[in-house]
């Protein structure tokens, strides 16, 4: 794992991607610090961070797009399969290398509260809590991007689908508020979700009976539930979407409250996508 | 060292590898030969643990590649068809990375990397970026990578593809050198390559293993020709009749008749050199022999015969014998004897024996009839059953 980590970390800096990633994040932070803290006279670094999370939509795909797509494209993944190490170690080595690259600008950003304290009072605790949360949010999104990269052979496609997924998550709360919260709408939305689950099953296994079976089972369960107790569907789908709004979890943490559930949520999110990446890479061996 | 049992790999409905079994012993160079798309790379990918098999098992030095992959992979160095190289690294960096990933102890790491670079002749190129290296040097980096971690088995998938003749010779020399201390398996679709380097050859065709033999044995079969081609000046029918009286001549065919000379294809019985007899027979008739030569079966013919569509192992997984395949092909018979039932084979054998007795009883001076020629042509089958 250490050897993979070292190679990956180094390769980010033999090319331009690592430097570009760091420069982009620092440049964005600098602009916002200037405008909010220095020009606006607003003594809150948390506020800057909550404003710049949109930059993740661009820099996360930049960082993650090549992780697995490039290996598949150049067929170097065969080397990784033939090495005496598990797929889990390979995935973790790559993931930690990306985290290490991400940690560099975050550490530089940690200087801001110090510098700003020259101009007045800084609430260090809430500023550093927000920066920590910013790092955890980034770690979760990088895991998502890595998974997207493991699905394709093309870096461009990996970048585009990562961007799309991140954009959807960024707008999730807005999307949720558009959906009516009555019982029937929720039922229909869950029905569509069941259909998607069935389609994904088919795409992965090419097994018609299993995917149709899964869809029918889910649909039947939903209808039965709806007939017995329709009121539980009230606002359930928008609630689910809100629950999946990763970016908003971070906003909760910038208020100066150390919300452990939000941290656990983000870490679980990252672990889930790391697991999916391992499965997706492992699957290639069975295809 | 490596034991492959009943390996099957299916992609949907397509069977890429169909029930292949073989064992690889320590300290030999093995060749995996087959036309493109025969299943060589798939087999190698499964043996090295890069691909999962649909059925069957692979054990490397006692470790199952699917159940105990780490221990099994430690014994194997693998160069896939496309050398898995990172273009943004130098050979030195790359080999150091692979050595670390293969968990070479840090005390030996530097010296081992230097050693493999020395053997593969990469020392002068060690600080250039891999993407700027020529194909031959990249292939060497790939081979060097496979040698790291001191594996007992080195598996090379088409190591000389795309190289120029000089590079091919160098790589072959390198493989021979590796074979002195390690077990090497290499694949190729070029027969000459396998026969130049390997001691044993396994021929794969359409996902089936159709031969597993030593190169020497195959060459011996190839050289054991029993067809003689001669050109004689004189009356063709008279010469033919005389030739057929020589003991040991099974059949004579007139191939070409020119103004004053003719060419004959002569089938001889095996393991006897009848050239002297023929020479003196012709000399007695005062017919000059213009040329005389054995028709050579080449290794190429053997390879082509074995990779024919119809060649398959029988139901029990026994390989067809090379002699059988060649006989069958020589007669342009589409069926292979190994496919026939016991009864059918016996019937066929009896038929041949009858023909043989008839031939023996026949008067030497009798004019050659159409019927007789056909019968003696059938004798071509004889050695197959006589030999067994």
């Amino acid at each position: 794992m250490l050897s993979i980590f070292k190679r990956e970390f180094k390769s980010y800096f033999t090319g331009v991607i690592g430097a570009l990633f760091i420069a982009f994040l620092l440049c964005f932070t600098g602009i916002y610090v200037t405008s909010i803290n220095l020009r606006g006279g607003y003594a809150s670094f948390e506020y800057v961070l909550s404003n710049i999370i949109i930059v993740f939509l661009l820099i996360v795909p930049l960082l993650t797009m090549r992780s697995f797509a490039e290996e598949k494209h150049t067929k170097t993944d065969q080397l990784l399969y033939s090495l005496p190490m598990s797929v889990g170690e390979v995935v973790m080595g790559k993931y930690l290398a990306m985290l290490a690259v991400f940690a560099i600008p975050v550490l530089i950003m940690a200087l801001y509260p110090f510098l700003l304290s020259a101009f007045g009072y800084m609430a260090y605790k809430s500023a550093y809590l927000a920066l920590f949360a910013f790092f955890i949010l980034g770690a979760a999104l990088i895991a998502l991007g890595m998974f997207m990269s493991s699905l394709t052979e093309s870096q461009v496609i990996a970048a585009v689908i990562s961007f799309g997924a991140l954009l959807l998550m960024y707008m999730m709360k807005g999307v949720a508020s558009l959906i009516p919260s009555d019982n029937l709408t929720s039922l229909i939305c869950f029905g569509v979700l069941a259909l998607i689950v069935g389609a994904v099953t088919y795409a992965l296994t090419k097994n018609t009976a299993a995917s149709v079976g899964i869809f029918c089972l889910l649909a039947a369960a939903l209808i039965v539930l709806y007939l017995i107790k329709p009121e539980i569907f009230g606002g359930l789908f928008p609630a689910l979407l809100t629950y999946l709004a990763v970016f908003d979890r971070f906003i909760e943490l910038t208020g100066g409250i150390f919300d452990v559930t939000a941290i656990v949520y983000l870490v679980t999110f990252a672990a889930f996508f790391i697991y999916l990446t391992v499965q997706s890479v492992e699957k290639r061996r069975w295809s | 060292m490596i034991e492959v049992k009943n390996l099957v790999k299916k992609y949907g409905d397509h069977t890429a590898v169909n029930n292949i079994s073989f064992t690889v012993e320590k300290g030999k160079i093995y060749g995996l030969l087959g036309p493109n798309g025969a299943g060589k790379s798939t087999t190698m990918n499964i043996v090295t643990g890069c691909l999962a098999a649909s059925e069957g098992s692979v054990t490397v030095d006692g470790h199952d590649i699917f159940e105990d992959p780490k221990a099994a992979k430690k014994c194997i160095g693998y160069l896939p068809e496309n050398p898995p190289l990172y273009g943004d690294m130098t050979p030195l960096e790359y080999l150091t990375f692979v050595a670390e990933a293969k968990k070479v102890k840090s005390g030996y790491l530097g010296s081992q990397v230097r050693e493999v670079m020395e053997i593969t002749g990469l020392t002068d190129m060690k600080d250039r970026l891999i993407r700027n290296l020529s194909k031959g040097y990249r292939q060497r980096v790939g081979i060097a990578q496979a040698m790291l971690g001191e594996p007992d088995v080195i598996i090379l998938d088409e190591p000389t593809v795309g190289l120029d003749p000089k590079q091919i010779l160098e790589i072959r020399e390198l493989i021979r050198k590796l074979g002195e201390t390690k077990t090497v398996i290499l694949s190729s679709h070029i027969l000459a390559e396998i026969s130049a380097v390997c001691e044993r050859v396994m021929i794969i065709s359409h996902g089936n293993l159709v031969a597993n033999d030593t190169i020497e044995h195959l060459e011996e079969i190839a050289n054991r020709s029993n067809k003689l081609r001669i050109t004689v000046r004189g009356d063709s029918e008279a010469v033919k009749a005389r030739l057929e009286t020589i003991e040991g001549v099974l059949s004579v065919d007139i191939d070409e008749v020119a103004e004053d000379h003719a060419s004959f294809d002569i089938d001889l019985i095996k393991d006897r050199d009848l050239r002297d007899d023929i020479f003196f027979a012709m000399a007695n008739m005062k017919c000059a022999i213009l040329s005389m030569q054995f028709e050579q079966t080449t290794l190429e013919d053997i390879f082509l015969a074995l990779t024919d569509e119809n060649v398959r192992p029988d139901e029990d997984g026994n390989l067809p014998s090379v002699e059988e395949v060649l006989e069958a092909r020589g007669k342009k018979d589409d069926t292979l004897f190994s496919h026939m039932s016991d009864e059918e084979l016996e019937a066929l054998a009896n038929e041949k024996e009858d023909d043989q007795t008839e031939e023996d009883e026949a008067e030497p001076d009798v004019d050659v009839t159409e019927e007789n020629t056909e019968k003696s042509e059938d004798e071509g089958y004889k050695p197959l059953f006589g030999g067994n």
Side-chain angles (χ1 to χ4, degrees):
Chain A
M1 191 171 89
L2 190 67
S3 52
I4 301 273
F5 171 82
K6 270 160 67 182
R7 199 208 82 77
E8 286 290 313
F9 186 74
K10 237 169 129 183
S11 81
Y12 276 110
F13 294 102
T14 47
V16 291
I17 288 181
L20 207 62
F21 173 86
I22 293 170
F24 213 89
L25 185 53
L26 288 180
C27 178
F28 234 73
T29 319
I31 292 169
Y32 271 79
V33 166
T34 312
S35 101
I36 293 173
N37 300 128
L38 300 179
R39 300 297 294 250
Y42 198 76
S44 164
F45 188 58
E46 307 86 283
Y47 190 60
V48 172
L49 291 179
S50 61
N51 269 293
I52 63 168
I53 49 174
I54 193 170
V55 78
F56 278 132
L57 297 190
L58 208 68
I59 62 171
V60 166
L62 180 74
L63 188 69
T64 59
M65 62 183 186
R66 61 188 284 281
S67 56
F68 283 96
E70 175 75 356
E71 299 259 6
K72 276 194 214 173
H73 183 69
T74 58
K75 303 228 160 68
T76 44
D77 56 342
Q78 285 215 309
L79 173 72
L80 303 179
Y81 288 128
S82 68
L83 289 174
M85 61 170 74
S86 67
V87 172
E89 282 178 89
V90 174
V91 171
M92 275 318 281
K94 279 177 177 278
Y95 180 65
L96 292 178
M98 288 190 275
L99 280 196
V101 175
F102 178 49
I104 295 170
V106 169
L107 285 175
I108 297 172
M109 282 157 71
L111 297 173
Y112 277 116
F114 269 120
L115 297 174
L116 291 174
S117 68
F119 306 103
Y121 173 75
M122 273 304 286
Y124 283 127
K125 273 183 194 162
S126 67
Y128 284 116
L129 170 65
L131 192 62
F132 172 68
F134 183 78
F135 181 72
I136 299 288
L137 173 67
L141 299 178
I142 286 170
L144 172 76
M146 178 171 75
F147 171 62
M148 297 298 176
S149 177
S150 75
L151 295 177
T152 163
E153 261 182 52
S154 150
Q155 291 193 49
V156 177
I157 292 174
V160 169
I161 56 176
S162 305
F163 177 77
L166 291 171
L167 187 65
L168 190 70
M169 291 194 164
Y170 190 74
M171 302 192 310
M172 198 69 102
K173 223 169 179 174
V175 173
S177 68
L178 291 176
I179 296 171
S181 61
D182 64 292
N183 302 347
L184 191 62
T185 315
S186 273
L187 177 71
I188 292 167
C189 290
F190 277 109
V192 172
L193 211 59
L195 197 64
I196 293 171
V197 170
V200 169
T201 315
Y202 181 74
L204 290 179
T205 61
K206 302 267 179 274
N207 187 335
T208 324
S211 32
V212 170
I214 285 174
F215 170 69
C216 291
L217 211 68
L218 287 173
L222 285 171
I223 290 165
V224 169
L225 210 62
Y226 187 75
L227 292 176
I228 298 170
K229 221 175 175 190
E231 63 272 19
I232 59 162
F233 279 96
L236 193 62
F237 195 71
L240 179 77
L241 289 188
T242 316
Y243 186 77
L244 290 175
V246 190
F247 285 89
D248 296 288
R249 292 294 164 138
F250 166 73
I251 302 294
E252 288 164 20
L253 282 163
T254 56
I257 299 161
F258 190 78
D259 182 1
V260 181
T261 54
I263 299 285
V264 171
Y265 174 90
L266 290 171
V267 171
T268 314
F269 185 92
F272 177 66
F273 279 105
I274 292 170
Y275 173 77
L276 283 187
T277 311
V278 173
Q279 296 310 312
S280 146
V281 174
E282 193 84 62
K283 181 186 163 270
R284 217 174 118 80
R285 260 207 283 199
W286 292 91
S287 61
Chain B
M1 197 68 229
I2 296 183
E3 217 180 323
V4 176
K5 269 193 204 140
N6 304 94
L7 209 62
V8 177
K9 177 72 189 175
K10 286 183 178 150
Y11 293 105
D13 294 334
H14 172 67
T15 307
V17 170
N18 186 12
N19 204 10
I20 285 184
S21 308
F22 59 87
T23 42
V24 168
E25 286 157 36
K26 217 168 181 157
K28 279 189 182 160
I29 305 182
Y30 286 78
L32 207 54
L33 185 63
N36 291 326
K40 300 184 299 280
S41 293
T42 311
T43 308
M44 287 188 149
N45 275 334
I46 295 173
V47 171
T48 53
C50 293
L51 198 66
S54 310
E55 279 166 49
S57 70
V58 176
T59 42
V60 182
D61 210 9
H63 308 285
D64 190 294
I65 193 85
F66 308 119
E67 269 144 40
D68 191 6
K70 277 193 195 181
K73 284 176 187 175
K74 269 203 161 171
C75 309
I76 297 180
Y78 180 39
L79 170 71
E81 206 172 350
N82 301 295
L85 307 174
Y86 295 103
D88 59 350
M89 296 172 105
T90 66
L92 181 64
E93 286 172 343
Y94 174 75
L95 294 173
T96 310
F97 155 65
V98 176
E100 278 175 16
K102 286 189 177 178
K103 299 184 178 70
V104 176
K105 289 209 180 68
S106 54
Y108 302 104
L109 200 137
S111 62
Q112 206 179 101
V113 169
R114 268 197 304 280
E115 197 190 322
V116 296
M117 284 197 301
E118 197 64 54
I119 296 173
T120 50
L122 280 168
T123 315
D124 295 338
M125 301 288 167
K126 69 178 198 290
D127 293 322
R128 294 203 198 168
L129 282 184
I130 288 175
R131 69 162 159 260
N132 297 334
L133 292 180
S134 69
K135 181 107 175 58
Y137 275 106
R138 278 190 228 175
Q139 204 73 34
R140 286 167 200 235
V141 180
I143 295 175
Q145 165 272 120
M147 289 162 66
L148 285 169
E150 301 187 315
D152 295 326
V153 187
I154 291 184
I155 299 183
L156 308 168
D157 196 352
E158 309 226 338
T160 57
V161 152
L163 303 185
D164 66 42
K166 186 166 173 286
Q167 290 168 328
I168 290 178
L169 286 177
E170 284 169 357
I171 298 280
R172 279 188 196 164
E173 198 45 53
L174 183 60
I175 292 168
R176 274 190 212 108
K177 222 188 309 176
L178 284 176
E180 286 165 15
T181 51
K182 295 174 194 304
T183 309
V184 181
I185 306 177
L186 77 133
S187 81
S188 178
H189 59 270
I190 304 158
L191 179 80
E193 176 142 309
I194 299 282
S195 61
V197 185
C198 304
E199 291 153 75
R200 275 194 86 90
V201 59
M202 293 180 270
I203 300 181
I204 292 186
S205 164
H206 303 280
N208 296 291
L209 187 66
V210 291
N212 184 354
D213 216 330
T214 59
I215 290 281
E216 280 145 31
H217 185 224
L218 289 181
E219 269 172 351
E220 195 194 308
I221 293 172
N223 292 333
R224 214 193 290 151
S225 173
N226 56 341
K227 277 201 172 59
L228 194 63
R229 191 181 163 83
I230 65 171
T231 311
V232 180
R233 183 166 286 154
D235 174 40
S236 61
E237 286 301 327
V239 169
K240 185 178 168 181
R242 178 72 187 93
L243 283 172
E244 277 171 341
T245 61
I246 298 170
E247 196 196 335
V249 171
L250 299 175
S251 76
V252 180
D253 274 342
I254 303 176
D255 191 47
E256 256 180 76
V257 183
E259 242 175 84
D260 61 340
H261 65 270
S263 303
F264 304 85
D265 281 332
I266 309 174
D267 245 343
L268 307 171
I269 63 165
K270 281 194 177 174
D271 309 321
R272 249 175 81 186
D273 194 347
L274 291 170
R275 281 177 296 182
D276 298 28
D277 300 341
I278 292 171
F279 173 81
F280 289 118
M282 290 301 108
N284 281 339
M285 283 178 77
K286 300 234 181 290
C287 292
I289 295 176
L290 302 179
S291 76
M292 181 192 293
Q293 67 190 92
F294 276 115
E295 232 168 60
Q296 287 290 315
T297 317
T298 58
L299 277 181
E300 210 75 47
D301 292 331
I302 295 181
F303 175 52
L304 286 174
L306 284 170
T307 51
D308 198 277
E309 286 270 357
N310 298 310
V311 180
R312 294 280 150 89
D314 66 13
E315 278 153 23
D316 303 328
N318 297 322
L319 302 178
S321 97
V322 179
E323 287 95 334
E324 276 176 22
V325 173
L326 281 176
E327 290 288 348
R329 188 179 168 84
K331 287 292 154 199
K332 294 193 174 53
D333 197 334
D334 278 343
T335 54
L336 235 190
F337 299 112
S338 62
H339 272 187
M340 293 185 183
S341 68
D342 288 350
E343 289 83 347
E344 277 176 308
L345 282 172
E346 257 168 41
L348 199 61
N350 289 335
E351 209 182 305
K352 297 306 142 206
E353 264 166 26
D354 293 343
D355 283 356
Q356 178 64 40
T357 33
E358 264 177 53
E359 171 75 15
D360 286 344
E361 283 160 13
E363 286 284 320
D365 290 352
V366 161
D367 273 355
V368 186
T369 59
E370 196 64 31
E371 196 193 347
N372 220 337
T373 319
E374 261 174 33
K375 267 180 194 158
S376 26
E377 208 176 274
D378 280 342
E379 292 305 320
Y381 287 119
K382 179 64 181 62
L384 170 61
F385 303 102
N388 289 344

